[in-house]
């Protein structure tokens, strides 16, 4: 049994990490850093609550530490965890800047510990469905891929740090990390990046909308997010020489995790047929349209993968260099928006 310590019990710790860790065989949620409240121990009575990171790091029985603090603190908290010799999962974004991620990678290599980002959206049911569709080649040669995470949220954020770029605020680092990671999981590293990064809501604050165009040979990739869409646009649009696929809605896991402390449902991650995407395929010159069942998503697979790496049974499914690549693309996107032209990607400095 791998004992796990969790640093932070805000939304990330409470909704994502604690329920998932508690639902994976071989992992035991054992300690939580919660500085001022006792919400964690109320939900998980067997854990130890620490008021400081130093208190948690004094527990040498822990085999894994998860960093789920506000984004701007990820680098410093992860650095201290690695310095103390612990394996670590860091919620996205792993750090505010790519050079900070590179520094964490170097330190983790020196200390001989595992460092991985929490890129859980790779286990969304809709993404798994798209990934499988492309693998099967049903749509023919791919020409266009579109991925969006829109919402209706015109008001001010309840957490001030989310409006402060220095603290990791802004939708570019938040949702952009997910969208870029998923695109690169499908297509690899892009040749160039073009983008518009904007503030659309009233008042001053961090960016709340973006359009990113990733250039690949023969494929157009467009990633978008904003806070002023109702109804939201399609989650995925995929077009090829033999057909296309459109999928609306969002993976149901986040909403379900918000209500539980541990996954017990047998049908976890399954979508009702009313939420399935529509597949349009050319058959002998005529277009045939049918719903395509969404594969069941399962974020537990992420932590099961981490467990298997720690038990030396498998290689990491998501790596620290994946986090660095996503961060680098987002930096090029910001640069492209500022200079109003496409930025060529230079991958020569990729850390090892």
């Amino acid at each position: 049994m791998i004992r796990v310590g969790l640093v932070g019990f805000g939304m990330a710790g409470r909704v994502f990490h604690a329920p998932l860790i508690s639902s994976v065989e071989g992992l035991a949620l054992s300690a939580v850093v919660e500085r001022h409240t006792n919400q964690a121990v109320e939900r998980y009575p067997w854990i130890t609550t620490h008021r400081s990171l130093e208190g948690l790091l004094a527990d040498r029985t822990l085999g894994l530490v998860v960093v789920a603090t506000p984004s701007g603190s990820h680098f410093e908290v992860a650095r201290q965890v690695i310095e103390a010799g612990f394996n670590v999962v860091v919620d996205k974004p792993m750090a505010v800047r790519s050079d900070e991620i590179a520094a964490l990678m170097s330190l983790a290599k020196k200390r001989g510990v595992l460092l991985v980002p929490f890129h859980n959206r790779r286990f969304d049911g809709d993404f798994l469905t798209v990934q499988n569709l492309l693998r099967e080649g049903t749509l023919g040669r791919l020409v266009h891929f579109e991925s969006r995470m829109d919402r209706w949220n015109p008001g001010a954020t309840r957490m001030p740090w989310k409006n402060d770029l220095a603290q990791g605020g802004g939708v570019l680092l938040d949702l952009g990390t997910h969208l870029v990671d998923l695109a690169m999981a499908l297509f690899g590293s892009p040749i160039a990046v073009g983008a518009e990064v904007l503030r659309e809501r009233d008042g001053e604050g961090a960016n709340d909308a973006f359009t990113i165009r990733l250039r690949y040979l023969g494929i157009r990739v467009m990633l978008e997010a904003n806070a002023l869409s109702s109804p939201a646009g399609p989650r995925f649009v995929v077009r090829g020489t033999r057909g296309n696929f459109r999928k609306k809605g969002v993976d149901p896991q986040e909403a379900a995790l918000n209500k539980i402390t541990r996954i017990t449902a047998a049908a976890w991650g399954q979508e009702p047929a009313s939420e399935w995407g529509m597949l349009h395929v050319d058959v002998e010159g005529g277009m045939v349209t049918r719903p395509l069942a969404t594969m069941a998503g399962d974020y537990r697979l992420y932590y099961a993968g981490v467990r298997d790496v720690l038990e030396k049974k498998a290689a990491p499914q998501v790596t620290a260099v994946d986090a660095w690549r996503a961060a680098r693309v987002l930096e090029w996107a910001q640069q492209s928006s500022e200079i109003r032209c496409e930025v060529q990607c230079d991958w020569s400095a990729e850390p090892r």
Side-chain angles (χ1 to χ4, degrees):
M1 187 67 69
I2 300 170
R3 287 169 50 82
V4 182
L6 175 60
V7 186
F9 204 72
M11 178 183 175
R14 175 179 58 82
V15 175
F16 288 102
H17 298 283
L20 295 178
I21 294 165
S22 300
S23 302
V24 173
E25 183 178 355
L27 299 181
L29 181 63
S30 303
V32 174
V33 175
E34 195 175 4
R35 297 186 183 277
H36 305 296
T37 60
N38 296 299
Q39 295 181 30
V41 75
E42 291 170 3
R43 289 170 173 255
Y44 305 94
W46 59 86
I47 68 166
T48 301
T49 297
H50 296 279
R51 297 306 186 193
S52 68
L53 176 61
E54 292 74 18
L56 182 138
L57 296 181
D59 184 354
R60 306 309 299 182
T61 69
L62 299 175
L64 176 68
V65 174
V66 177
V67 177
T69 56
S71 297
S73 65
H74 286 179
F75 170 73
E76 181 56 29
V77 174
R79 184 193 66 77
Q80 292 182 56
V81 173
I82 295 169
E83 283 280 15
F86 289 95
N87 302 302
V88 60
V89 167
V90 186
D91 201 278
K92 62 81 196 167
M94 181 174 278
V96 173
R97 304 194 314 268
S98 63
D99 62 335
E100 292 179 335
I101 296 175
L104 292 177
M105 291 174 64
S106 177
L107 183 59
K109 184 176 182 179
K110 179 181 177 181
R111 297 289 289 150
V113 299
L114 178 68
L115 167 68
V116 287
F118 185 63
H119 288 181
N120 61 302
R121 293 288 178 181
R122 294 196 187 191
F123 303 97
D124 277 355
D126 48 17
F127 174 73
L128 294 173
T129 302
V130 168
Q131 189 176 47
N132 188 61
L133 190 64
L134 298 184
R135 185 183 298 118
E136 292 178 342
T138 305
L139 302 180
R141 179 175 56 81
L142 193 66
V143 298
H144 178 88
F145 175 86
E146 182 178 330
S147 177
R148 309 175 63 96
M149 295 186 78
D150 296 336
R151 54 192 169 161
W152 177 252
N153 186 19
T157 177
R158 292 174 296 173
M159 291 171 278
W161 71 265
K162 288 199 169 185
N163 254 335
D164 185 349
L165 292 175
Q167 297 186 64
V171 72
L172 185 67
L173 271 179
D174 183 15
L175 301 181
T177 297
H178 283 313
L179 294 181
V180 169
D181 177 66
L182 295 185
M184 290 201 292
L186 292 175
F187 307 120
S189 299
I191 300 169
V193 178
E196 291 84 41
V197 181
L198 308 168
R199 171 77 180 186
E200 293 184 335
R201 288 181 289 191
D202 293 331
E204 296 183 354
N207 57 75
D208 58 15
F210 63 76
T211 298
I212 298 174
R213 295 171 297 279
L214 303 182
R215 181 150 62 89
Y216 294 90
L217 291 176
I219 306 173
R220 291 187 300 274
V221 174
M222 181 177 294
L223 312 175
E224 291 192 279
N226 70 74
L228 297 178
S229 284
S230 181
R235 176 69 184 88
F236 289 104
V237 176
V238 189
R239 296 192 292 111
T241 55
R242 292 180 54 198
N244 58 80
F245 176 70
R246 287 175 175 266
K247 173 70 174 71
K248 294 184 178 181
V250 295
D251 184 277
Q253 293 181 84
E254 179 175 344
L257 285 169
N258 198 31
K259 303 173 184 178
I260 62 176
T261 59
R262 184 174 182 272
I263 298 172
T264 59
W268 179 258
Q270 294 185 10
E271 275 192 344
S274 60
E275 297 296 318
W276 293 352
M278 297 302 296
L279 177 64
H280 312 267
V281 180
D282 185 283
V283 178
E284 298 181 352
M287 186 62 73
V288 175
T289 298
R290 66 176 176 87
L292 179 65
T294 303
M295 297 175 64
D298 196 342
Y299 296 155
R300 289 174 295 185
L301 296 174
Y302 172 86
Y303 269 111
V306 173
R307 174 204 62 201
D308 291 346
V309 173
L310 294 177
E311 293 179 347
K312 303 188 184 305
K313 295 179 179 178
Q317 301 174 88
V318 187
T319 66
V321 75
D322 291 331
W324 182 88
R325 290 170 184 151
R328 199 71 191 97
V329 167
L330 294 177
E331 288 168 346
W332 285 322
Q334 183 65 56
Q335 180 185 359
S336 171
S337 182
E338 292 171 357
I339 65 176
R340 299 184 180 182
C341 71
E342 189 178 71
V343 175
Q344 298 295 310
C345 298
D346 179 3
W347 297 105
S348 61
E350 183 173 296
R352 301 293 180 184

